[in-house]
Amino acid sequence: PTSQQARKSVEWAIWLIGGFYLLTLVVGYGAAALVGPDAILAAPGKANSAAPLLAYELGGSVLLGVVSGIAFATILAVVAGLTIASSATFAHDLYNYVFRNGQATPDEEVKVARWAAIGIGVVAILGGILAYGQNIAFLVALAFAVAASANLPTILYSLFWSRFNT
């Protein structure tokens, strides 16, 4: 794509992400208004159950099932994508180029990627146990903060350092 098309795509992404965050405010306040703060705090999961309770209030079991299915599919896709990306990065970038100086065979990389996926899964499970009972909005904000802190140096280097390349 041309730089103009790329710029348009970034603009669309920014507007969609911004709209999504505004929508979460609407859902939160809508749940507080329609379901009631006392019912939300009495439910299992407390504030984390506001959206499912709102879905049940507005559409009964059918809308609750749709919202739950969307949430499950989203979580599954994110976990799968992060596991694949991180294990492949560990096997290809770290194992092959750092530990083996670019001499690892594809079979070795696949074996290391499988073990890395298991290790990443164990770390994720332990992190999930430690995060049990936390507010989901806080955890999402924390994930975005970590992602932003990891991406900002790369963006700045690529913009201002001409020798920053692959």
Side-chain angles (χ1 to χ4, degrees):
T2 65
S3 63
Q4 183 67 19
Q5 290 171 329
R7 185 171 160 235
K8 276 289 192 196
S9 297
V10 170
E11 287 177 11
W12 269 101
I14 290 171
W15 281 107
L16 288 173
I17 292 169
F20 171 77
Y21 277 109
L22 290 177
L23 186 62
T24 59
L25 286 173
V26 171
V27 169
Y29 284 120
L34 295 176
V35 177
D38 296 332
I40 293 171
L41 293 176
K46 298 188 183 352
N48 294 332
S49 62
L53 289 173
L54 179 62
Y56 187 73
E57 181 75 25
L58 293 176
S61 298
V62 173
L63 188 57
L64 177 61
V66 169
V67 167
S68 300
I70 291 169
F72 180 74
T74 303
I75 291 168
L76 190 63
V78 168
V79 169
L82 288 174
T83 303
I84 291 169
S86 55
S87 65
T89 298
F90 183 83
H92 184 68
D93 296 340
L94 286 177
Y95 177 75
N96 186 26
Y97 288 112
V98 174
F99 300 134
R100 295 291 309 271
N101 295 321
Q103 302 300 318
T105 65
D107 290 339
E108 287 176 321
E109 281 189 41
V110 169
K111 188 181 293 187
V112 169
R114 288 178 180 160
W115 282 105
I118 292 170
I120 290 162
V122 168
V123 170
I125 289 168
L126 293 175
I129 291 170
L130 292 174
Y132 180 76
Q134 292 287 327
N135 186 307
I136 291 176
F138 166 75
L139 293 175
V140 169
L142 182 64
F144 276 115
V146 170
S149 67
N151 288 325
L152 181 65
T154 305
I155 293 169
L156 290 177
Y157 284 150
S158 65
L159 287 174
F160 299 112
W161 185 17
S162 62
R163 295 189 53 194
F164 186 74
N165 53 36
T166 46

